[in-house]
Amino acid sequence: MEHSHAGGGGTDPSAPGPAPRQWPQQTIGHVLCCLCGINIQPNPANMCVNCLKTQVDITEGIQRQVTVLYCDGCGRYLQPPKHWVTAALESKELLTFCIKRTKGLNRIKLVDASFIWTEPHSKRLKVKLTIQKDIFNGAILQHTFVVEYVVTNHMCDVCTKQAANPNQWVASVQVRQKVDHKRTFFFLEQLIIKHDAQANCVNIKNSNAGMDFMFGNRSHAIKFIDFLQNVVPTKHRSDKSLVSHDTKNNTYNYKYTFAVEIALVCKDDLVILPKKLNTQLGNLGPIVLCTRVTNCVLLTNPQTLQDHYLDAEQYWRWQLKSLMNSRQLTEFVVLDVDVDWRRTTHGGRCTYADVMVARAKDYGVNDNVFHTRTHLGNLLQPGDTVLGYDVLNANLVDPNLDSYPPHTLMDVVLVRKSYKEQRQRRRQRRGKRRNFKLRRLEAEEEEEVVRKNRSRNNEVDPEKEMEEFMDELEEDSDMRSRINLYKAATGQTPSVTETDEEDEVPKVPLEELLDDMTLGADVDMAGGDERPTRDGA
């Protein structure tokens, strides 16, 4: 027997250790394809890749050939319905455009996309797409295929207008207003620009009494007339003239002319109501003030703050005319104001007040003072200057005046507060610069208009009328809410003293202004093509 040493407590290091434990290795089994019978690794469908492709087509519903419209004039592609995008060949922008134009890709997962080179003159674009889709029992199938895009030439609206002959029009809309100022057309022009109503115009011309809009299609002219009826009270009549006639196939070519007349009553005009109409409106008048013009005319009695909306049908039935217009406004100086804050309408914009005024030319010369009632109680303070109609001293001719006794007519009708002196001081310091500007339509001037504008006897100054219109925009927030105003560079920042002095003058808040953009043939705005315009100061 072998005995261990008494002092030995360990094993012999030279002795071999125990054998390592052998773990069983897992092997992947193979199954037979349920269709062709080849040996494959198991998958949820138990089919090989070739059999899966024959049984399931993951490209079903995806377009293999797509037609895209390309404008050769400006190099842009049409993104329906009317958005034109600029993209170079084999660029990321063009690849994104092509993928968006392919229908059916929203139901699968797009893994990869790349261009396949084609001849530039072939009018073909080829994109290789790699897609994945879940099929039987969670199995994922991947497939690569090619989509061909056929490029078709199609001129965009801007290039069509530039290439078209402006004299080859089919329908003409002649917009007229028989008044001696252009305030209505200044505002109508801004409404047209905001809603892009001039998009289909072939040409625009200015005339002495209004504007002419030329269209290449009769339906475009009718659509433009519908727009005008929604923004101003109008009536229209149409006529057509025969251009050519083909006796073989019995076809006719006409030129259509639409004459649109805008209501004669404008904002701030004084109107005397016919006796019968005044009775129907609950004795609103007899003398009322036009305070707003949309597709309806808002008539307000400044003595009682009663008002009534007269729609276009009622207006043309009664053929209302202005008793006095804005060119007959007289400056008055406010001597005393007694405001009744309990009588307020239109969200605080009109407040009843008893006012004592004197003509500015009589102030300090004689003691002629007028007592009247007005709707401007929230704006007037003693010492202010206000514009109004001097009905007592005016030479008025209207058949409706004989229907009312003289004591029922007001001597003075106040219209709006005047900031003439404050604006003059501001212009002396800063010139004619404003913090906003307007867009203008590109319109041709007729020879007759140019000749009359150069005439010395012409009393209407278009620049002065535009300045008055922009002054009115600063004062009337309701008018500003209906059009687009753009930011303008105002130069140096005014000092604190100048700012305090200008606080009394109404200004357009910066939050109401839009960032200015330079529009051209290659610029898209508001989801569509914008006709090139010029900025008006």
Side-chain angles (χ1 to χ4, degrees):
M1 294 182 63
E2 294 182 358
H3 299 277
S4 60
H5 297 283
T11 60
D12 187 5
S14 61
R21 182 176 297 179
Q22 298 293 329
W23 296 98
Q25 295 182 356
Q26 183 178 4
T27 59
I28 300 176
H30 289 74
V31 297
L32 299 179
C33 176
C34 63
L35 294 181
C36 63
I38 66 172
N39 195 20
I40 62 172
Q41 293 183 0
N43 58 62
N46 287 332
M47 285 189 290
C48 63
V49 176
N50 295 330
C51 293
L52 279 174
K53 291 182 178 180
T54 59
Q55 296 297 316
V56 179
D57 184 13
I58 64 175
T59 63
E60 183 180 1
I62 301 176
Q63 287 181 299
R64 294 299 185 97
Q65 189 176 57
V66 184
T67 301
V68 295
L69 300 182
Y70 174 75
C71 179
D72 198 17
C74 56
R76 296 186 298 174
Y77 296 87
L78 176 61
Q79 178 71 40
K82 59 178 182 178
H83 184 66
W84 292 84
V85 296
T86 303
L89 289 176
E90 298 189 3
S91 62
K92 293 181 179 179
E93 293 79 9
L94 184 58
L95 183 60
T96 304
F97 167 77
C98 293
I99 293 175
K100 289 182 178 180
R101 293 286 289 121
T102 306
K103 296 181 180 179
L105 293 179
N106 56 345
R107 298 190 301 270
I108 51 88
K109 179 181 179 181
L110 181 62
V111 179
D112 187 27
S114 61
F115 279 107
I116 297 178
W117 185 87
T118 56
E119 290 288 345
H121 62 274
S122 63
K123 295 295 182 181
R124 295 291 188 274
L125 299 174
K126 292 186 177 180
V127 178
K128 184 173 68 173
L129 300 178
T130 302
I131 60 175
Q132 289 182 353
K133 186 177 182 181
D134 293 338
I135 53 174
F136 305 122
N137 301 323
I140 299 177
L141 184 62
Q142 180 172 306
H143 185 63
T144 301
F145 63 101
V146 177
V147 179
E148 184 181 40
Y149 300 87
V150 181
V151 180
T152 304
N153 288 336
H154 180 80
M155 294 183 67
C156 64
D157 295 337
V158 176
C159 294
T160 302
K161 294 173 186 176
Q162 293 177 353
N165 186 355
N167 296 323
Q168 293 181 351
W169 53 270
V170 176
S172 172
V173 180
Q174 300 175 354
V175 185
R176 299 291 185 267
Q177 187 183 33
K178 300 176 182 178
V179 294
D180 57 353
H181 59 80
K182 303 281 287 185
R183 293 169 53 213
T184 302
F185 282 95
F186 288 149
F187 187 67
L188 181 61
E189 180 182 14
Q190 300 304 317
L191 291 174
I192 291 173
I193 293 175
K194 178 179 180 179
H195 298 280
D196 198 21
Q198 85 289 357
N200 297 319
C201 285
V202 177
N203 192 20
I204 303 175
K205 291 184 178 180
N206 278 329
S207 64
N208 289 320
M211 303 179 72
D212 296 343
F213 298 87
M214 314 297 182
F215 297 91
N217 196 320
R218 180 175 178 269
S219 61
H220 295 161
I222 295 177
K223 181 180 178 181
F224 183 75
I225 293 175
D226 292 339
F227 167 78
L228 295 178
Q229 291 177 341
N230 290 329
V231 294
V232 287
T234 61
K235 67 175 182 179
H236 71 278
R237 58 184 180 87
S238 60
D239 194 6
K240 62 181 180 179
S241 59
L242 181 63
V243 177
S244 62
H245 169 49
D246 190 350
T247 57
K248 294 183 179 180
N249 53 14
N250 199 25
T251 58
Y252 299 83
N253 292 327
Y254 292 98
K255 276 194 173 183
Y256 302 89
T257 302
F258 299 89
V260 180
E261 183 179 354
I262 302 178
L264 300 180
V265 177
C266 302
K267 185 174 178 291
D268 296 339
D269 284 1
L270 197 64
V271 181
I272 182 167
L273 300 177
K275 186 73 173 180
K276 188 175 180 180
L277 177 61
N278 187 35
T279 304
Q280 292 181 1
L281 301 182
N283 292 325
L284 178 66
I287 290 183
V288 293
L289 191 66
C290 178
T291 54
R292 188 183 183 188
V293 178
T294 55
N295 56 349
C296 301
V297 178
L298 178 60
L299 303 176
T300 304
N301 189 334
Q303 285 187 316
T304 61
L305 298 188
Q306 295 179 349
D307 53 25
H308 181 78
Y309 280 96
L310 203 67
D311 58 19
E313 182 181 356
Q314 289 179 308
Y315 173 84
W316 293 112
R317 184 191 309 158
W318 293 99
Q319 295 288 334
L320 295 181
K321 296 182 180 179
S322 299
L323 183 65
M324 300 180 73
N325 56 36
S326 58
R327 292 192 175 276
Q328 298 172 279
L329 289 172
T330 305
E331 287 190 359
F332 293 88
V333 178
V334 180
L335 303 179
D336 190 17
V337 181
D338 185 10
V339 183
D340 187 0
W341 295 103
R342 295 172 299 177
R343 302 176 62 179
T344 302
T345 60
H346 297 286
R349 289 183 296 176
C350 298
T351 305
Y352 177 85
D354 290 327
V355 185
M356 187 173 295
V357 296
R359 285 193 296 261
K361 62 181 181 180
D362 294 340
Y363 185 69
V365 178
N366 53 45
D367 296 334
N368 293 334
V369 176
F370 300 93
H371 178 269
T372 185
R373 298 167 183 172
T374 182
H375 61 293
L376 305 175
N378 58 322
L379 299 176
L380 300 182
Q381 297 290 337
D384 290 344
T385 304
V386 62
L387 296 177
Y389 294 110
D390 188 0
V391 182
L392 181 62
N393 297 315
N395 185 13
L396 304 178
V397 179
D398 195 293
N400 295 319
L401 287 172
D402 300 332
S403 304
Y404 301 98
H407 69 273
T408 59
L409 304 179
M410 302 174 61
D411 295 339
V412 173
V413 179
L414 302 182
V415 178
R416 64 174 183 265
K417 186 177 179 180
S418 176
Y419 301 93
K420 182 178 180 180
E421 296 181 358
Q422 294 90 330
R423 284 196 172 97
Q424 287 179 351
R425 291 196 299 266
R426 184 179 67 178
R427 288 170 183 171
Q428 289 177 358
R429 294 191 301 266
R430 305 176 58 189
K432 294 184 179 181
R433 293 191 300 270
R434 303 176 188 267
N435 65 337
F436 73 96
K437 58 183 177 181
L438 302 174
R439 294 263 166 80
R440 302 296 305 277
L441 292 175
E442 281 193 349
E444 295 182 1
E445 296 288 343
E446 294 184 354
E447 295 182 0
E448 184 180 0
V449 178
V450 176
R451 185 172 62 253
K452 288 193 174 184
N453 287 339
R454 293 178 179 177
S455 176
R456 295 181 179 179
N457 298 326
N458 185 25
E459 298 179 357
V460 179
D461 185 3
E463 295 184 0
K464 183 178 179 181
E465 281 192 325
M466 175 55 74
E467 287 295 325
E468 293 176 354
F469 172 69
M470 298 182 78
D471 291 342
E472 189 174 357
L473 287 178
E474 291 180 340
E475 299 174 10
D476 195 338
S477 60
D478 180 67
M479 291 179 61
R480 296 197 304 267
S481 64
R482 300 173 59 192
I483 64 176
N484 288 339
L485 303 178
Y486 299 90
K487 295 180 182 178
T490 56
Q492 59 183 0
T493 305
S495 62
V496 178
T497 306
E498 293 177 352
T499 304
D500 294 340
E501 293 178 357
E502 293 177 0
D503 286 342
E504 301 178 0
V505 183
K507 289 184 62 178
V508 181
L510 291 177
E511 56 268 16
E512 296 183 11
L513 301 180
L514 302 176
D515 291 332
D516 187 27
M517 294 180 63
T518 302
L519 301 181
D522 57 344
V523 177
D524 180 78
M525 185 177 181
D529 293 320
E530 189 79 3
R531 182 181 176 89
T533 59
R534 57 184 172 86
D535 294 335

